[in-house]
């Protein structure tokens, strides 16, 4: 392997800054409660980056094992911020696993992504507001198109992730049907219990994250399966859909608010360095929660024929348009799938003795 | 408060470690009068408690005791031990210092240092000279080669049984002694207040001083010293001779998380020195030094380091991240070893020494308006060519008070401070 000193500059574009200060004392790896014999990080990853072992990094599951509690950055004797480096590596890897190459472009030129998001939102909103036909029907078509688009993106990412981490190494497809492995993957995916492994569990962060994750997944299901028709149906307070919407939007708003607040006050390592895409991510999520909630309560209060409901609903669908088209396939959104998958693949590697 | 006395001198030296003594002797030899103030009951500072010095492995007391004797017998050096400096103020004609002489509860002019009181005393206390590893009596001479050889009575721990007073042949135990106020008028002042080591509980990952077999580097010095607490190296929890001993480098410096980001300059070398001495006294023990990088930068230091490697001391490049213990009080270190593939792992040792860093011994310097750097050391306006200057006319600094340094550098800087002070006394227009 040839040493490539330029590689670290490439990673730095994704947010890592002074990682070249690292002199490999290994304090980060030893202090990390999640680092283990088969997944050793951050030092090994930093070393890979320093020597430019691009292939090794792309084949690593380690970045997805890190939950960024920040202990490594707090105790780093060189102030190299290994925790933030791991975060940047996740951004880098998302862009590497993206077959279109658009994520890489967005990460390097975040303002383009921001502008595009605003543009798509604005164009959609103007179009929706001037639309004279049956908007509910149009919304249905749009929302039914989302799953196809999103599924395509997910399949591409998941395949690339699997290919780079397992297939390229093993030379063939490997699958584990071990029940324990599948169970562990599900548990971690649903509870994200690795958050509690850090020596002082950051409960606020864990709960906020869990709220946003569950609220968002629910919203995704509600909208992508087109379960809501606020321009046709008058929802009551105790309808199943109302309860679902209330939980989902409450979870997103509360969790999103906590996350944004922490990014502003920057008291803990994990929210000290915000990439502009992080902001886009939380702000858009927050807007989705807010507009869904507003549409639904307006529908309950004013009925499906009200103009206010119609305008709010159009706003809601416009936000979703921008979110699905620009944010979902090209940001850290995909980590919802990568994290549990990494746990599955780690066990798979152990099972098949693929080191 | 009892009585008030006033003294005059050319130079007041605060601190009587190796820096203070060297400066006092240099100025005294040049024909000027010196008062050397020491807050502890004996002069000698930290150096007298060390076992040996690097890189020559000379015995530390063999260098320090002659200096102690010389400065205590010097006709122009007056030492004031067990005396705290409360305040120093700059006046038009020099400095005025307010000192408090703490009561020893022994009439010093009468005491013949026979130690009968110490033998009679029934109260045992933790010995601070041994950093808690040994015991002393409630009335005792601070350590064997202390100067002056006067016992000190611990006012709080003494039970007033009168045993010492009954056996004292000179009848010089005085339970009613009070602190004395002393005023010193000095034309110049040298600050040589030295250092403390980083507290053992500074880093929460290192057991917060609750792990019994994790000791400080100064405790290790005492274990190794010929006149140390046990006469041999034993670990504190069970008195066992340790089979494996580890040094944790940069335990109290180069670490932003404990507020000591600077390098303390001596820890690498003293750890190597102690490791060498340990392999001499415990030839069968495994000795490992966990380091980030070895800083052996002085004359003969690199050779010293290489010699230690050749002697079979293990040097492992890994910063220790966490320290804990098992049920037998064996110490567990968590490291990321770089040989044999990177992975976090736990290693066990019988005894662990934290290579603590050097921090200033005080937060504030007697009310003097002296400039401190961001870590609390006295900041010289001309660090590179006149390190003893402080920015205040007539006020000089020597030793670790102006930043971490080893013994040779300290002695050299003390000489420089003495020279600056002499120069000042000769040329400045002070009456």
């Amino acid at each position: 392997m040839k040493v490539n000193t330029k590689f670290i500059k490439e990673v730095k574009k994704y947010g890592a800054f002074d990682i070249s200060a690292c002199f490999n004392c290994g304090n980060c790896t030893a202090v990390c409660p999640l680092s283990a014999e088969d997944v050793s990080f951050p030092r090994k990853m930093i070393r890979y980056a320093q020597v430019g072992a691009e292939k090794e990094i792309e084949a690593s599951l380690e970045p997805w094992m890190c939950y960024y509690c920040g202990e490594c950055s707090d105790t780093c004797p060189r102030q190299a911020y290994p925790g933030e480096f791991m975060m940047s590596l996740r951004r880098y890897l998302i862009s590497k696993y993206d077959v279109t190459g658009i994520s890489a472009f967005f990460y390097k030129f975040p303002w383009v992504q921001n502008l595009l998001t605003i543009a798509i939102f604005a164009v959609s909103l103007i179009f929706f507001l001037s639309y004279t036909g049956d908007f509910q029907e149009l919304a249905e078509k749009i929302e039914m198109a989302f799953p196809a688009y999103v599924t395509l993106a997910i399949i591409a990412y998941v395949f690339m992730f699997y290919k780079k981490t397992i297939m390229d190494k093993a030379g063939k497809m490997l699958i584990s049907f071990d029940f324990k492995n599948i169970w562990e993957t599900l548990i971690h995916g649903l509870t994200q219990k690795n958050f509690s492994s850090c020596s002082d569990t950051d409960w606020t962060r864990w709960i906020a994250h869990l709220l946003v994750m569950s609220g968002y997944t629910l919203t995704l299901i509600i909208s992508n399966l087109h379960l809501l028709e606020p321009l046709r149906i008058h929802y009551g307070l105790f309808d199943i859909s109302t309860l679902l919407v209330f939980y989902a939007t409450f979870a997103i708003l509360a969790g999103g608010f906590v996350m944004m607040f922490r990014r502003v006050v920057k008291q803990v390592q994990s929210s000290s360095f915000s990439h502009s895409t992080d902001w886009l991510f939380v702000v858009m999520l927050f807007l989705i929660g807010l507009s869904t909630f507003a549409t639904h309560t307006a529908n309950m209060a004013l009925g499906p024929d009200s103009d206010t409901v119609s305008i709010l609903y159009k706003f809601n669908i416009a936000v979703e348009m921008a979110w699905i088209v620009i944010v979902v396939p090209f940001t850290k959104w995909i980590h919802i799938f990568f994290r549990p998958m990494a746990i599955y693949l780690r066990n798979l590697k152990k099972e098949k003795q693929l080191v | 408060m009892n009585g008030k006395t006033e003294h005059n001198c050319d130079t007041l030296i605060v601190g009587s470690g190796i820096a203070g003594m060297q400066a006092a002797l240099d100025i005294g030899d040049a024909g000027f009068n010196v008062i050397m103030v020491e807050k502890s009951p004996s002069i000698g500072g930290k150096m007298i408690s060390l076992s040996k010095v690097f890189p020559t492995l000379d015995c530390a007391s063999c260098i320090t005791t002659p200096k102690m004797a010389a400065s205590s017998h010097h006709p122009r050096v007056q030492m004031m031990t067990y005396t705290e400096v409360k305040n120093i103020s700059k006046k038009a004609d020099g400095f005025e210092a307010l000192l408090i002489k703490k009561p020893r509860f022994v009439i010093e002019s009468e005491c013949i240092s026979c130690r009968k009181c110490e033998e009679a005393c029934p109260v045992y206390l933790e010995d601070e000279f041994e950093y808690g590893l040994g015991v002393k009596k409630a009335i005792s001479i601070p350590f064997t080669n202390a100067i002056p050889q006067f016992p000190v009575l611990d006012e709080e721990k003494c039970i007033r049984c009168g045993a010492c007073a009954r056996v004292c042949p000179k009848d010089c135990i005085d339970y009613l002694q009070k602190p004395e106020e002393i005023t010193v008028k000095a034309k110049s002042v040298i600050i040589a207040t030295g250092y403390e080591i980083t507290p053992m509980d500074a880093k929460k990952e290192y057991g917060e001083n609750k792990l019994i077999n994790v000791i400080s580097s100064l405790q290790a010095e005492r274990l190794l010293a010929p006149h140390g607490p046990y006469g041999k190296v034993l670990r504190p929890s069970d008195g066992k001779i340790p089979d494996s001993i580890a040094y944790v480098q940069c335990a109290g410096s180069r670490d932003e998380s404990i507020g000591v980001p600077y390098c303390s300059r001596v820890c690498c070398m003293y750890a190597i020195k102690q490791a060498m001495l340990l392999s001499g006294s415990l030839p069968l023990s495994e000795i490992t030094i966990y380091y980030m990088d070895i800083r052996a930068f002085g004359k003969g230091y690199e050779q010293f380091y290489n010699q230690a490697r050749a002697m079979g001391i293990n040097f492992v490049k890994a910063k220790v991240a966490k320290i804990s213990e098992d049920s037998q009080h064996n110490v567990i270190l968590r490291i990321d070893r770089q040989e044999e593939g990177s992975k976090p792992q736990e290693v066990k040792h019988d005894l662990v020494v934290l290579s603590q860093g050097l921090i200033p011994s005080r937060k504030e310097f007697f009310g003097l308006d002296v400039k401190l750097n961001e870590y609390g050391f006295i900041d010289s306006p001309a660090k590179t060519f006149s390190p003893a200057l402080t920015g205040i006319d007539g006020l000089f600094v020597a030793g670790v008070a102006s930043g971490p340094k080893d013994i040779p550098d300290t002695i050299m800087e003390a000489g420089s401070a003495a020279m600056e002070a002499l120069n000042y006394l000769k040329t400045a227009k002070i009456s």
Side-chain angles (χ1 to χ4, degrees):
Chain A
M1 197 199 84
K2 212 175 153 228
V3 169
N4 174 13
T5 50
K6 294 202 178 79
F7 178 70
I8 199 149
K9 286 190 191 123
E10 175 70 14
V11 181
K12 277 184 186 173
K13 290 180 189 153
Y14 293 83
F17 25 90
D18 208 14
I19 201 63
S20 28
C22 168
F23 64 2
N24 285 276
C25 68
N27 181 70
C28 47
T29 306
V31 85
C32 176
L34 292 166
S35 182
E37 207 170 316
D38 60 327
V39 280
S40 169
F41 60 92
R43 190 190 73 83
K44 201 165 96 181
M45 297 291 115
I46 297 173
R47 196 73 197 134
Y48 282 160
Q50 282 177 336
V51 297
E54 211 175 328
K55 285 258 149 28
E56 298 293 333
I57 285 188
E58 282 176 22
S60 299
L61 296 173
E62 282 86 347
W64 310 102
M65 295 292 156
C66 163
Y67 276 70
Y68 204 166
C69 60
E71 265 182 75
C72 52
S73 292
D74 280 337
T75 54
C76 174
R78 298 282 297 160
Q79 284 82 56
Y81 296 102
E84 187 56 21
F85 168 77
M86 293 300 283
M87 184 72 230
S88 310
L89 215 50
R90 287 193 283 279
R91 293 185 193 120
Y92 170 78
L93 284 177
I94 286 175
S95 76
K96 278 288 141 180
Y97 299 151
D98 174 16
V99 283
T100 64
I102 297 175
S103 311
F105 181 75
F106 280 169
Y107 270 124
K108 287 177 202 166
F109 304 100
W111 55 272
V112 177
Q113 191 180 20
N114 294 344
L115 274 184
L116 271 177
T117 312
I118 295 169
I120 290 197
F121 165 73
V123 169
S124 315
L125 188 63
I126 292 167
F127 174 69
F128 293 161
L129 288 175
S130 57
Y131 188 70
T132 46
D134 182 356
F135 184 69
Q136 189 63 71
E137 221 163 85
L138 180 69
E140 186 175 345
K141 279 183 191 140
I142 292 171
E143 288 200 321
M144 292 310 238
F146 285 164
Y149 180 75
V150 171
T151 312
L152 199 67
I154 295 173
I155 288 174
Y157 270 114
V158 164
F159 175 73
M160 283 300 280
F161 184 47
Y162 180 72
K163 181 179 175 300
K164 297 266 186 192
T165 52
I166 301 292
M167 271 168 70
D168 287 357
K169 252 196 163 162
K172 57 179 178 196
M173 302 265 284
L174 290 175
I175 297 172
S176 160
F177 293 110
D178 184 8
F179 173 74
K180 253 167 68 188
N181 185 5
I182 295 167
W183 177 248
E184 203 189 325
T185 308
L186 280 177
I187 289 292
H188 277 278
L190 291 175
T191 61
Q192 303 161 353
K193 69 174 185 183
N194 271 350
F195 268 123
S196 66
S197 305
C198 304
S199 63
D200 302 309
T201 305
D202 190 344
W203 285 98
T204 328
R205 178 159 171 249
W206 186 9
I207 291 169
H209 196 271
L210 207 57
L211 277 176
V212 168
M213 198 270 303
S214 60
Y216 173 67
T217 313
L218 201 57
T219 318
L220 193 75
I221 293 168
I222 293 170
S223 75
N224 281 16
L225 297 179
H226 195 62
L227 295 180
L228 288 183
E229 298 192 318
L231 300 187
R232 221 166 261 161
I233 303 166
H234 190 177
Y235 292 102
L237 186 57
F238 294 106
D239 291 359
I240 300 260
S241 348
T242 307
L243 296 177
L244 287 180
V245 167
F246 275 7
Y247 172 75
T249 52
F250 163 77
I252 290 181
L253 291 179
F257 177 77
V258 172
M259 282 180 168
M260 285 200 268
F261 181 73
R262 284 158 66 100
R263 283 198 182 278
V264 173
V265 293
K266 299 183 183 181
Q267 260 178 359
V268 288
Q269 280 288 352
S270 57
S271 26
S272 297
F273 305 95
S274 302
H275 194 266
S276 113
T277 54
D278 297 333
W279 277 112
L280 183 68
F281 196 81
V282 282
V283 168
M284 287 301 283
L285 257 180
F286 198 78
L287 281 179
I288 287 178
L290 200 65
S291 58
T292 311
F293 179 76
T295 313
H296 205 79
T297 36
N299 169 286
M300 283 173 11
L302 307 166
D305 301 325
S306 148
D307 279 350
T308 321
V309 176
S310 164
I311 290 169
L312 284 172
Y313 189 50
K314 285 170 178 170
F315 183 89
N316 179 227
I317 298 293
V319 173
E320 278 183 13
M321 273 292 276
W323 167 260
I324 297 275
V325 175
I326 296 295
V327 182
V328 165
F330 308 115
T331 52
K332 66 175 177 187
W333 180 86
I334 193 70
H335 81 280
I336 302 184
F337 292 89
F338 281 179
R339 281 199 187 278
M341 213 177 131
I343 287 166
Y344 173 82
L345 295 180
R346 176 188 176 184
N347 289 336
L348 173 77
K349 272 184 159 182
K350 259 194 218 163
E351 194 185 312
K352 310 282 180 195
Q353 292 173 341
L354 183 73
V355 191
Chain B
M1 211 134 323
N2 237 0
K4 276 189 185 179
T5 40
E6 229 183 90
H7 295 266
N8 286 296
C9 66
D10 294 314
T11 305
L12 172 71
I13 296 179
V14 186
S16 71
I18 189 65
M21 291 190 296
Q22 183 64 46
L25 289 172
D26 285 350
I27 295 172
D29 286 348
F32 289 85
N33 294 319
V34 176
I35 290 180
M36 182 167 73
V37 192
E38 170 58 50
K39 68 175 188 306
S40 314
S42 167
I43 59 171
K46 291 275 192 299
M47 187 173 168
I48 189 61
S49 72
L50 305 183
S51 53
K52 300 221 156 58
V53 292
F54 58 79
T56 49
L57 291 186
D58 286 327
C59 141
S61 5
C62 310
I63 303 170
T64 321
T65 18
K67 297 256 185 218
M68 289 162 71
S71 44
S72 67
H73 293 306
H74 201 287
R76 280 182 293 278
V77 177
Q78 185 186 355
M79 58 175 193
M80 294 185 177
T81 50
Y82 214 37
T83 303
E84 295 262 7
V85 177
K86 281 286 147 207
N87 180 60
I88 300 177
S89 49
K90 179 117 170 82
K91 296 271 155 36
D93 56 344
F95 296 85
E96 195 177 294
L98 175 68
L99 320 179
I100 308 286
K101 183 175 169 25
K102 294 179 275 188
R104 282 188 163 91
F105 303 100
V106 168
I107 300 162
E108 290 163 25
S109 54
E110 293 291 311
C111 177
I112 53 164
S113 313
C114 66
R115 294 198 128 162
K116 285 234 163 71
C117 52
E118 192 172 335
E119 284 155 24
C121 177
V123 182
Y124 286 90
L125 302 176
E126 214 171 73
D127 188 351
E128 67 266 23
F129 181 73
E130 307 289 0
Y131 301 99
L133 292 178
V135 287
K136 63 166 190 180
K137 297 288 188 68
I139 181 164
S140 57
I141 291 178
F143 49 96
T144 36
N145 42 7
I147 292 183
Q149 285 272 317
F150 295 137
V152 178
L153 183 140
D154 188 314
E155 193 183 2
E156 277 175 21
K157 303 284 167 50
C158 170
I159 54 170
R160 305 291 193 278
C161 64
C164 50
R166 280 195 294 279
V167 295
C168 181
K170 298 282 285 177
D171 203 15
C172 59
I173 309 286
D174 176 6
Y175 294 110
L176 301 175
Q177 261 184 6
K178 290 272 179 299
E180 278 171 50
E181 238 177 52
I182 302 171
T183 313
V184 172
K185 286 191 168 159
K187 289 171 190 157
S188 63
V189 174
I190 294 178
I191 293 182
T193 46
Y195 65 94
E196 289 300 328
I197 57 169
T198 331
M200 289 290 280
D201 56 359
K203 194 166 165 66
K204 71 174 192 322
E205 287 82 4
Y206 286 178
E208 296 180 312
N209 204 13
K210 288 183 191 121
L211 311 177
I212 183 162
N213 288 326
V214 176
I215 61 171
S216 77
S217 43
L218 286 175
Q219 284 177 318
E221 288 288 342
R222 293 311 302 154
L223 285 182
L224 287 163
H227 53 306
Y230 315 136
K232 55 163 79 173
V233 180
L234 304 171
R235 71 172 193 173
S237 72
D238 48 11
K240 174 187 143 180
I241 292 180
D243 289 331
S244 80
I245 304 165
Y247 280 83
V248 176
Q249 293 310 107
C250 300
S253 34
R254 294 176 74 188
D255 191 339
E256 189 90 56
S257 72
I258 57 169
V260 186
Y262 53 85
C263 167
S264 294
R265 292 171 63 104
V266 292
C267 327
C268 283
M269 293 309 293
Y270 73 59
I272 294 173
K273 173 200 74 184
Q274 290 185 3
M276 276 187 172
L277 297 174
L278 275 171
S279 61
S281 55
L282 304 173
L284 297 178
S285 295
E286 283 267 337
I287 302 157
T288 312
I289 296 184
Y290 295 96
Y291 68 96
M292 305 206 284
D293 50 8
I294 291 290
R295 296 194 165 174
F297 53 85
K299 185 183 173 192
Y301 288 9
E302 185 71 19
Q303 289 89 322
F304 193 67
Y305 166 45
N306 288 333
Q307 195 188 336
R309 279 191 174 252
M311 281 170 76
I313 291 155
N314 303 317
F315 286 83
V316 175
K317 182 174 164 94
K319 164 102 193 192
V320 173
K322 280 181 188 167
I323 304 180
S324 52
E325 62 175 19
D326 67 8
S327 55
Q328 270 82 51
H329 298 295
N330 295 316
V331 189
I332 303 168
L333 307 180
R334 201 173 143 91
I335 57 160
D336 172 22
R337 197 190 283 272
Q338 284 159 39
E339 296 92 8
E340 308 145 32
S342 165
K343 55 181 182 243
Q345 57 177 237
E346 291 186 334
V347 277
K348 259 188 201 179
H349 294 281
D350 290 340
L351 180 69
V352 164
V353 183
L354 295 189
S355 288
Q356 298 295 72
L358 311 187
I359 55 171
S361 64
R362 38 193 317 125
K363 293 221 152 30
E364 154 314 308
F365 289 88
F366 320 110
L368 285 162
D369 185 23
V370 62
K371 194 173 163 248
L372 305 181
N373 69 15
E374 54 189 311
Y375 313 120
F377 293 107
I378 292 178
D379 203 13
S380 167
K383 274 189 237 21
T384 41
F385 46 93
S386 302
L389 298 185
T390 61
I392 296 177
D393 276 351
L395 181 74
F396 308 98
V397 61
V400 185
S402 66
K405 53 183 69 74
D406 56 23
I407 293 166
D409 283 0
T410 296
I411 293 176
M412 226 151 29
E413 204 182 277
S416 157
M419 189 63 81
E420 297 278 7
L422 289 170
N423 216 351
Y424 175 80
L425 291 170
K426 284 272 195 188
T427 55
K429 288 188 182 64
I430 32 178
S431 50

